[in-house]
Amino acid sequence: MIAWLDSGDAFPPATDALTDPNGLLCAGLELTADRVLDAYGQGIFPWYSEGQPVLWWSPDPRMVLRPQDFRLHRSLRKTLRNTVYEVRVDSSFEAVMRACAELRPDQDGTWISEAIIAAYTQLHKRGLAHSVETWVDGELVGGLYGIALGRVFFGESMFMRRTDASKIAFAHLVEQLRRWQFELVDCQQNTDHLASLGAAPIRRAEFLQRLQRLVNSPADVSLQGRWQFDADLGASLTRTAKTA
C-alpha cells in the first residue's frame, strides 16, 4: 500500500517508495506549483495518466548526468556543423510543453496533462522552470523543459520535429549548465538513449544525499528569472564539433 496525500499533507520519505512498480511512493489529487516544488526538493516527481490520481515517484536507481560527462556523438557533431539553427531559452515555454505532450507513434496517451502544464507554467513564471528550444527558419522544431533548483536541473521531457533537434537543445543546455557550475542533471528514468549521452544510474540514497547538498547550494543570482545563455555558446559547441 502507498500513502494517500490530502491537501497540505507532507510527502512520506522517498525511501518508502515501492520496489514494484519501482519508485511509486504515494498518490493524491493535489497538483500545484508549490506541491511540485516541494516534491523535487525531496527527490520526488509526478507521473501519471489522465483519469488517474496524481502519482508521485522516486525510483531506485536514479538516472543522472554530470554535465562534464556529456557525450557529443559523431552524428550530433555533424548536425551541429551542418544545420542552420537558432537556440532560444524561455521564449516559448508552454509551446514546448504542449509539443512534448503530443502523442508519438508508440504511445496511446500522455502524462503531460492540463494540470501538469498549468503547474509547470506557473513555476516558469516564477523563474524556476525553463525551456530550451531549437528553431529553424522561424519554426520551433525541438526542445526540452525542466526545473532548476540550486545547482540541479531536473529534466522533464523533450521533443523533436526534425532529426537531432532535441539533442541540439540538450547539448546547449548541458554546456551552459557546466559553465554555470551545475553539478547534476536529473534524468529520472534509465534509458539506453540517456546512457548513450553520458547519463548513468546511481542509488537513490546517493542521489538524495547529493540533492540535499546541491539544492541548498544557490546558483548565481543572475540565474533568477528568465535564463539567458552565453552569446558564444553555439559557436563554442560548433568549434568542439569540428575538432572532435
Side-chain angles (χ1 to χ4, degrees):
M1 292 290 292
I2 59 172
W4 179 265
L5 298 186
D6 290 319
S7 180
D9 286 350
F11 284 105
T15 51
D16 287 355
L18 301 179
T19 56
D20 186 18
N22 180 18
L24 181 58
L25 177 64
C26 55
L29 297 177
E30 182 183 43
L31 185 71
T32 64
D34 286 338
R35 177 66 94 177
V36 170
L37 204 58
D38 184 31
Y40 277 95
Q42 300 179 60
I44 302 163
F45 60 87
W47 185 37
Y48 65 102
S49 298
E50 197 74 48
Q52 291 180 326
V54 181
L55 303 179
W56 300 92
W57 301 76
S58 184
D60 187 14
R62 188 78 162 234
M63 197 70 164
V64 300
L65 171 70
R66 297 189 309 164
Q68 63 267 33
D69 292 338
F70 177 68
R71 297 173 187 159
L72 193 63
H73 287 294
R74 182 180 301 173
S75 63
L76 181 54
R77 294 200 300 266
K78 182 178 179 181
T79 299
L80 290 171
R81 289 195 304 266
N82 300 325
T83 303
V84 178
Y85 63 86
E86 177 187 5
V87 171
R88 303 179 191 174
V89 187
D90 287 342
S91 74
S92 298
F93 182 84
E94 185 173 337
V96 169
M97 285 202 73
R98 292 193 178 279
C100 289
E102 292 174 356
L103 291 181
R104 300 167 193 179
D106 59 342
Q107 294 178 324
D108 57 6
T110 177
W111 64 273
I112 304 176
S113 64
E114 288 298 323
I116 288 279
I117 292 172
Y120 284 73
T121 300
Q122 183 60 39
L123 290 172
H124 172 64
K125 292 176 180 178
R126 290 161 59 175
L128 298 170
H130 303 277
S131 61
V132 184
E133 311 138 17
T134 304
W135 295 76
V136 175
D137 295 331
E139 178 188 357
L140 178 62
V141 297
L144 60 91
Y145 75 95
I147 291 174
L149 294 178
R151 298 193 182 278
V152 182
F153 185 84
F154 300 85
E156 276 302 308
S157 187
M158 59 177 64
F159 80 99
M160 67 174 185
R161 292 171 178 156
R162 294 198 187 182
T163 301
D164 285 343
S166 60
K167 291 181 183 178
I168 289 172
F170 190 61
H172 283 73
L173 169 68
V174 173
E175 173 58 19
Q176 186 64 70
L177 293 178
R178 186 190 66 78
R179 293 184 179 194
W180 283 338
Q181 299 183 334
F182 275 60
E183 294 188 30
L184 211 60
V185 178
D186 175 29
C187 303
Q188 298 179 353
Q189 303 290 346
N190 190 341
T191 68
D192 291 340
H193 171 65
L194 291 169
S196 74
L197 297 176
I202 62 173
R203 302 306 303 176
R204 180 173 55 215
E206 181 182 353
F207 175 74
L208 294 175
Q209 185 178 44
R210 290 191 194 181
L211 194 64
Q212 185 176 27
R213 175 177 62 85
L214 294 173
V215 165
N216 294 300
S217 175
D220 192 284
V221 67
S222 65
L223 302 184
Q224 297 177 5
R226 181 173 173 174
W227 276 359
Q228 184 174 351
F229 282 0
D230 292 348
D232 70 332
L233 192 64
S236 176
L237 277 172
T238 301
R239 285 195 300 271
T240 301
K242 288 180 178 179
T243 59

Coordinates of all heavy atoms in Angstrom, one line a residue, residues 7 75 92 117 137 177 219 232:
S7 N -4.7 17.5 0.8 CA -4.1 18.8 0.7 C -3.4 19.2 2.0 O -4.0 19.1 3.1 CB -5.2 19.8 0.4 OG -4.7 21.1 0.2
S75 N 27.2 11.8 -34.9 CA 26.1 12.2 -35.7 C 25.6 13.6 -35.2 O 25.2 14.4 -36.1 CB 24.9 11.2 -35.6 OG 24.5 11.1 -34.2
S92 N 9.3 30.2 -25.4 CA 8.0 29.6 -25.7 C 7.8 28.4 -24.8 O 7.6 27.2 -25.3 CB 8.0 29.1 -27.2 OG 8.1 30.2 -28.0
I117 N 0.6 21.0 -17.1 CA 1.0 22.2 -17.9 C 0.8 23.4 -17.0 O 1.6 24.4 -17.0 CB 0.3 22.3 -19.2 CG1 0.7 21.2 -20.2 CG2 0.4 23.7 -19.9 CD1 -0.1 21.0 -21.4
D137 N 14.4 28.4 -39.4 CA 13.6 29.2 -40.2 C 12.3 29.7 -39.5 O 11.2 29.7 -40.1 CB 13.2 28.5 -41.5 CG 14.4 28.1 -42.4 OD1 15.4 28.9 -42.3 OD2 14.4 27.1 -43.1
L177 N 25.0 24.7 -18.5 CA 25.0 24.2 -17.1 C 26.4 24.0 -16.5 O 26.7 24.3 -15.4 CB 24.1 23.0 -16.9 CG 22.6 23.1 -17.1 CD1 21.9 21.8 -17.0 CD2 22.0 24.2 -16.2
A219 N 22.6 28.9 -6.9 CA 23.2 29.3 -8.1 C 23.4 30.8 -8.2 O 23.0 31.5 -7.3 CB 22.4 28.8 -9.3
D232 N 28.4 33.2 -26.8 CA 29.3 32.4 -27.6 C 29.1 30.9 -27.5 O 29.9 30.1 -28.0 CB 30.8 32.7 -27.2 CG 31.1 32.1 -25.8 OD1 30.1 32.0 -25.0 OD2 32.2 31.8 -25.5

